[in-house]
Amino acid sequence: MTSAPTSADACLSIVYSLMCHRQGGESERFAKRAIESLVKKLKEKRDELDSLIAAITTNGSQPSKCVTIQRTLDGRLQVAGRKVFPHVVYARIWRWPDLHKNELKHIKYCKFAFD
């Protein structure tokens, strides 16, 4: 088994590694574009990118820091021509493929909850 990438690795190798943990919920093409977008946004925030990699590659088995991205006016981001809520789309890609927007609830200690 190879070790998880770190924020120092090239974006493409990080995207490839994170794609391997996809749960479905979105098409492979859309998921790849969404993950590329997220990795690019986090490339300058190395500690958050490392937290994301740890959370995904361990399936959330160890606590990690918050991962934040700049909020847009309507709270959505555009990926492959679709406007999506980031917290929903990434949860669908990596955790719960059949998730609906109103089913997400933040945990008590979440510092940057989506609501």
Side-chain angles (χ1 to χ4, degrees):
M1 183 174 153
T2 60
S3 63
T6 69
S7 58
D9 289 316
C11 287
L12 282 178
S13 77
I14 295 169
V15 170
Y16 175 79
S17 174
L18 296 177
M19 279 290 288
C20 292
H21 295 274
R22 249 176 14 102
Q23 300 297 311
E26 300 290 349
S27 72
E28 183 174 352
R29 180 179 171 277
F30 180 83
K32 185 172 190 270
R33 299 271 302 270
I35 294 169
E36 285 170 345
S37 172
L38 182 60
V39 169
K40 193 187 305 183
K41 286 177 181 3
L42 296 176
K43 200 59 183 163
E44 301 303 315
K45 300 164 116 183
R46 291 184 152 206
D47 58 331
E48 289 188 31
L49 183 53
D50 283 331
S51 289
L52 174 72
I53 293 166
I56 301 307
T57 58
T58 65
N59 202 25
S61 65
Q62 51 187 308
S64 61
K65 294 179 184 170
C66 291
V67 176
T68 61
I69 58 173
Q70 183 72 39
R71 183 173 164 80
T72 60
L73 288 175
D74 68 358
R76 300 181 300 172
L77 64 109
Q78 186 156 342
V79 176
R82 281 175 49 197
K83 293 278 267 181
V84 295
F85 288 101
H87 56 283
V88 175
V89 80
Y90 295 117
R92 287 186 65 186
I93 289 171
W94 287 308
R95 292 288 186 261
W96 308 287
D98 56 351
L99 177 80
H100 297 286
K101 176 183 174 257
N102 57 352
E103 294 176 319
L104 278 177
K105 304 220 183 322
H106 69 268
I107 45 184
K108 280 186 242 171
Y109 60 83
C110 188
K111 197 161 140 184
F112 301 105
F114 59 89
D115 57 357

